[in-house]
Amino acid sequence: VFRCARATLRRRREAVPCHSIRRRAADVQSRRLRHFLAVYAHRSLARAVEVLHVTQPALSKSLHQLEEQLGVR
């Protein structure tokens, strides 16, 4: 049974379509933009953290990654 489950998992990993990977990348980018817009709208990281239900370090990291992606900094 264990071998069969392992083989099934391996097949599933190999069968991930490219559009699925692109969709996840787009979701990550849209999440970063939503984070930025929340900080802008609320004029405060603390308020944005409450509204987005994320931690402050996660929000800061997301904003930093967005800056790097856009080449701002």
Side-chain angles (χ1 to χ4, degrees), residues 17-32:
C18 291
H19 69 276
S20 170
I21 294 168
R22 279 185 249 145
R23 185 179 307 134
R24 277 187 246 147
D27 289 344
V28 169
Q29 186 175 5
S30 67
R31 181 176 354 115
R32 290 177 187 155

Side-chain angles (χ1 to χ4, degrees), residues 46-66:
R47 287 188 199 141
V49 162
E50 292 173 6
V51 170
L52 295 168
H53 304 289
V54 296
T55 62
Q56 189 274 330
L59 181 59
S60 294
K61 183 177 180 178
S62 176
L63 295 174
H64 178 72
Q65 290 171 339
L66 181 63

Side-chain angles (χ1 to χ4, degrees), residues 29 32-33 36 63-73:
Q29 186 175 5
R32 290 177 187 155
L33 290 173
F36 171 77
L63 295 174
H64 178 72
Q65 290 171 339
L66 181 63
E67 288 175 343
E68 286 181 347
Q69 185 178 9
L70 297 175
V72 180
R73 207 162 201 210

Side-chain angles (χ1 to χ4, degrees), residues 2-50:
F2 181 71
R3 287 184 194 166
C4 181
R6 215 159 95 195
T8 303
L9 288 174
R10 190 176 312 125
R11 278 191 301 254
R12 284 184 188 162
R13 269 187 265 137
E14 293 168 359
V16 174
C18 291
H19 69 276
S20 170
I21 294 168
R22 279 185 249 145
R23 185 179 307 134
R24 277 187 246 147
D27 289 344
V28 169
Q29 186 175 5
S30 67
R31 181 176 354 115
R32 290 177 187 155
L33 290 173
R34 271 184 288 149
H35 288 176
F36 171 77
L37 291 173
V39 173
Y40 178 78
H42 297 284
R43 306 277 188 210
S44 166
L45 277 174
R47 287 188 199 141
V49 162
E50 292 173 6

